[in-house]
Amino acid sequence: MIDRRDVSSWISGPPTEPGHYPGRGLGLPRTGPGSIARPGRRVVALCIDWAACLLISTAFFHGNSSATLGIFAVEQIVLVGTVGYSLGHRALGLKVVRLGGAPAGIPAAILRTVLLCLVIPAVVFDVDQRGLHDKAAKTVLVRL
């Protein structure tokens, strides 16, 4: 027989200690500049990026889904790898940095983007709200 407490503990996510907040384990502030970007901002930024890539794909490739994904990947690699943010990130005041605050760089942006395009690594995240794509690239998405 399944105990109700077993199910509720699984649904509530991984256990955290009192006073924990996303980014605490990484030495980041709770709120404000440098704090972990929250899921709502991340999703809106992703939608902005995807919409921009879809517009380009529609204009030049008749909306081909592979072309849209390719344009998205190029946007992420070039923009995140050089300036630290995509169009959506910039619009919402977010930036991708390496742990410690250094710029992400092209190699980390490539790894992060490949995993992001696979989707699953981006939706599996830890108590600090870092997806597997960010963990693998040793990056974190923070507020500006």
Side-chain angles (χ1 to χ4, degrees), residues 80-84 95-109 137-139:
V80 170
T82 57
V83 295
K95 186 171 187 175
V96 178
V97 295
R98 294 188 69 71
L99 294 176
I106 297 291
K138 296 182 173 73
T139 58

Side-chain angles (χ1 to χ4, degrees), residues 31-122:
T31 60
S35 65
I36 293 282
R38 298 303 192 255
R41 285 183 183 227
R42 292 171 186 250
V43 170
V44 173
L46 179 64
C47 290
I48 290 169
D49 289 334
W50 193 259
C53 295
L54 186 58
L55 283 173
I56 294 168
S57 174
T58 300
F60 295 102
F61 303 102
H62 306 291
N64 180 287
S65 59
S66 295
T68 305
L69 184 62
I71 293 165
F72 177 80
V74 169
E75 179 221 14
Q76 292 291 310
I77 291 168
V78 171
L79 293 179
V80 170
T82 57
V83 295
Y85 45 76
S86 66
L87 298 172
H89 292 152
R90 183 65 180 147
L92 290 163
L94 306 175
K95 186 171 187 175
V96 178
V97 295
R98 294 188 69 71
L99 294 176
I106 297 291
I110 292 171
L111 176 58
R112 184 179 188 277
T113 300
V114 167
L115 294 174
L116 180 62
C117 288
L118 293 174
V119 179
I120 298 301

